[in-house]
Structures are given as structure tokens and as C-alpha cells.
Amino acid sequence: EADIYQTPRYLVIGTGKKITLECSQTMGHDKMYWYQQDPGMELHLIHYSYGVNSTEKGDLSSESTVSRIRTEHFPLTLESARPSHTSQYLCASSESGTLNSNQPQHFGDGTRLSIL
Amino acid sequence: ILNVEQSPQSLHVQEGDSTNFTCSFPSSNFYALHWYRWETAKSPEALFVMTLNGDEKKKGRISATLNTKEGYSYLYIKGSQPEDSATYLCAFKFSGYALNFGKGTSLLVTP
């Protein structure tokens, strides 16, 4: 009963292509996040947003960019894909409230990206 | 990025066994500790969010405890079932937004 959707689930594409990974949620959450996970490694936060027109970089440096024009939509873009971008990307959202509220995060199924 | 350590890395138990695993995190600047279950080909699912030292939370056969002074949390599964097979992630929150995840404990429960 996922309320947060990511597309595509899998993407294999050549170097140099522009890629957009889609993430949408129907829960009305203001806070949204993008995580990157390499095999056998931890999830690392690469971008987050507190609401429309708010985006910030996470702890792990990433060449990707994000936008938040609508509450429900938080796409991630790679302008020119490279093999080093091969990874799994997970989108998440959490309930609104105060900045410091401790709500769990709700995750999408992820996108497995492979750059040839 | 603050280190969150989870042990063991993997665990294989028989159906009916009880099991537990550990999450260690920096004891300073503690804000919250999250536990998630991640089944293969699915999305991570929140189990618990704990904030206070001494917190104990329970959800069915799964429970968790928290010690913020010494920087650890235990996750217990009583009477493991094959459907409990998953990777269990803990994540430490030290500020308003960032969750620092461990690598997870991969649990396999065989009939």
C-alpha cells in the first residue's frame, strides 16, 4: 500500500545521457529526501526538501540536482550520467510538523541505476 | 557523517528461535534512533522511532530498547518466522533533518 512512488524501478543507460528519477507521494508530506546506496554500504542522504521551493544538499556530495515545484513531486536529475553514478536511489518523505519532529520516514521502492 | 555500527552483519536462525541485534551510535548530540525493516524487492518500512533514554517499544513479536548514555539500541525478535527475513536498519538522528544509517543486519529465518 505504498503512498510514495518511484519510477523507473530499473534503468540501464549509456554515459552522457540526461536522467530524471521521479518521486511522488500522496500523503501531503512537506519533507522529502533522496538517499543513495552503493552495494553493501549505508544509505546516504544526498538531497532533502522542507517544502515547495526548498532544497538542500545532504551529507554525501552528489552531482545530481533536485527540484520541488509541487508538494507531492521531488524529481532528481543527472545532467550527464557517468559510470560512477551507478547506484540505488531511494526517495522518502515524512510528516510535516516542527523542524525537529521525530516522525518516521516513508520510503519508495527505489531506482536501480546502471550507467554503462 | 557520523558512524552507526550494526552487528552482526548477518544472522541465520531457525524458525521459532529468538534473536537480537545491536546498533551502536555516538552518545553525544543524540536526537532520535530509528529502526527500519527492509525486505528484498520492497521499500524500507519504519518499525520504531525512539527518543528517550530507557525507551522500550514493541510491535508484535519485535521490540527495541534504547540506551542514549552509552550509545546503543537492541532489536529483539521473539519466535522468529520466515516472514521476518529482511535487513534491519538502524538510523541515528543528531540534528533536525539528517538520518545516519548503519549498513544493516541481514536476517534469514529458515523453516
Side-chain angles (χ1 to χ4, degrees), chain B residues 94-110:
Chain B
F94 68 97
S95 69
Y97 67 91
L99 279 180
N100 288 270
F101 281 85
K103 292 182 181 179
T105 293
S106 177
L107 175 66
L108 176 63
V109 183
T110 50

Side-chain angles (χ1 to χ4, degrees), chain B residues 15-29:
Chain B
E15 182 175 357
D17 289 348
S18 293
T19 187
N20 66 86
F21 12 98
T22 305
C23 172
S24 300
F25 51 87
S27 55
S28 58
N29 299 318

Side-chain angles (χ1 to χ4, degrees), chain A residues 89-104:
Chain A
Y89 294 84
L90 281 126
C91 180
S93 69
S94 62
E95 283 187 29
S96 311
T98 65
L99 178 67
N100 296 331
S101 62
N102 286 306
Q103 298 297 326

Side-chain angles (χ1 to χ4, degrees), chain A:
Chain A
E1 73 267 3
D3 295 316
I4 180 164
Y5 307 95
Q6 288 188 244
T7 57
R9 286 291 304 273
Y10 304 92
L11 180 60
V12 180
I13 200 165
T15 297
K17 302 290 186 183
K18 181 178 179 178
I19 299 166
T20 296
L21 307 184
E22 301 288 350
C23 176
S24 295
Q25 50 96 5
T26 59
M27 297 172 281
H29 290 170
D30 282 335
K31 297 177 186 173
M32 295 190 74
Y33 316 83
W34 275 103
Y35 292 90
Q36 181 176 343
Q37 187 193 34
D38 294 328
M41 302 300 289
E42 307 89 334
L43 288 168
H44 285 293
L45 183 70
I46 52 174
H47 298 283
Y48 64 99
S49 167
Y50 287 137
V52 171
N53 295 325
S54 152
T55 61
E56 301 288 343
K57 288 191 178 294
D59 297 319
L60 184 69
S61 175
S62 173
E63 294 171 348
S64 58
T65 59
V66 291
S67 62
R68 191 88 184 275
I69 298 171
R70 303 196 316 266
T71 298
E72 62 271 22
H73 195 212
F74 191 40
L76 180 145
T77 299
L78 282 163
E79 289 293 333
S80 180
R82 295 192 280 115
S84 60
H85 297 141
T86 294
S87 191
Q88 180 168 219
Y89 294 84
L90 281 126
C91 180
S93 69
S94 62
E95 283 187 29
S96 311
T98 65
L99 178 67
N100 296 331
S101 62
N102 286 306
Q103 298 297 326
Q105 293 186 8
H106 301 260
F107 285 85
D109 288 335
T111 294
R112 288 192 182 274
L113 179 63
S114 181
I115 310 299
L116 305 177

